[in-house]
Amino acid sequence: NYVKITFKTGFGDNETFIPETIKIALKMIVANLYENRGDCSASTSKNSNIVGNIPSNAKLIFKQFRIISV
């Protein structure tokens, strides 16, 4: 008497299934974090929100893939 739950998330079994636009958005975020790596101090990094640091063009790309439940 047990229940087996299989949970699968994402776009497929490997990175070839990830849409190219999502890969580009992730590269934008990494580039932004790299370019601004010295812009925060230890006191502000505790309270910072990583979502606020996402470039607006990357947010627009991610918005296309958002699933909204009603």
Side-chain angles (χ1 to χ4, degrees), residues 12-56:
D13 294 333
N14 61 40
E15 69 276 355
T16 60
F17 291 100
I18 299 171
E20 193 62 33
T21 51
I22 289 181
K23 292 179 187 179
I24 291 169
L26 290 171
K27 290 175 184 178
M28 288 177 187
I29 293 169
V30 171
N32 182 55
L33 291 171
Y34 180 77
E35 289 176 6
N36 299 300
R37 63 190 177 275
D39 290 349
C40 65
S41 65
S43 61
T44 59
S45 64
K46 292 177 186 174
N47 298 325
S48 68
N49 185 353
I50 190 69
V51 175
N53 295 332
I54 295 176
S56 58

